[in-house]
Amino acid sequence: MAEELSVITDASKEEQYAALLPQIEALVTGEPDLTANLANMASALKYGMNFFWVGFYLVKKDELVLGPFQGPIACTRIQRGKGVCGTAWENAETIIVDNVDEFPGHIACSSDSKSEIVLPAFKNGEVALILDVDSDQLADFDEVDKKYLSRLMKVVEQML
Ligand code: SME
């Protein structure tokens, strides 16, 4: 396992992801513990891509419960269908929000969060957990983020 992330800053977002993802894959390869791997993934994404907040919410019974994350403290539990995360869970789909103030029912864990992307990971056809990435910039997420973060969720799904 690499001891340090090699982070590229003077490059396009696509190049940054392309450099980071193999490192994340290497970081979790051979480690069976889900919590440890989600924790390292959250850190690698936060510091590798300079995001404001990166974290996982795990489906536990009828709600999402906060899992490993990096960034300011966040709300602990989210009901199905509530906020961006609960909606992504209910609809079993990725959601990109350009302006969180315009998303009905958005749950504001930090007033500094301006846009976000939320992706589900599946186990046996059901959403098992959610990745939530927040930015302090408006409209910071697009199809490039969706492409690479979806690839990351496939890595997560192999651990579930
Ligand atoms: N904004 C999310 C809640 C999680 S925090 O952003 C970390 C939502 O609306 O579901």
Side-chain angles (χ1 to χ4, degrees):
M1 188 191 91
E3 289 178 3
E4 278 184 25
L5 277 184
S6 166
V7 175
I8 305 174
T9 49
D10 54 346
S12 70
K13 183 160 68 175
E14 177 122 32
E15 288 169 326
Q16 286 181 289
Y17 273 120
L20 185 63
L21 254 71
Q23 296 185 72
I24 296 179
E25 285 164 1
L27 196 59
V28 300
T29 297
E31 173 51 64
D33 190 274
L34 179 64
T35 304
N37 287 335
L38 295 182
N40 259 340
M41 284 178 150
S43 176
L45 269 180
K46 165 100 172 71
Y47 291 101
M49 300 301 294
N50 196 27
F51 290 131
F52 175 72
W53 193 93
V54 179
F56 295 93
Y57 281 92
L58 286 76
V59 174
K60 295 193 176 177
K61 296 185 183 159
D62 57 351
E63 59 189 354
L64 293 171
V65 181
L66 183 63
F69 74 96
Q70 291 277 324
I73 58 168
C75 43
T76 313
R77 293 172 189 269
I78 297 175
Q79 304 306 308
R80 189 178 166 105
K82 300 294 180 191
V84 187
C85 294
T87 303
W89 174 22
E90 186 167 67
N91 297 344
E93 66 181 15
T94 294
I95 300 178
I96 293 174
V97 180
D98 286 343
N99 181 350
V100 296
D101 290 337
E102 292 175 358
F103 187 93
H106 169 258
I107 300 164
C109 294
S110 166
S111 58
D112 289 332
S113 178
K114 299 282 188 272
S115 59
E116 67 182 280
I117 181 169
V118 177
L119 303 95
F122 296 85
K123 181 179 183 181
N124 300 327
E126 302 281 327
V127 176
L129 61 82
I130 291 285
L131 168 64
D132 181 13
V133 183
D134 289 22
S135 171
D136 57 7
Q137 307 292 316
L138 287 167
D140 212 10
F141 301 105
D142 55 25
E143 290 302 312
V144 172
D145 300 276
K146 185 174 177 179
K147 172 182 159 186
Y148 284 98
L149 295 176
S150 297
R151 194 172 127 190
L152 203 64
M153 295 311 265
K154 295 291 169 209
V155 176
V156 170
E157 285 172 353
Q158 289 169 16
M159 305 170 192
L160 298 175

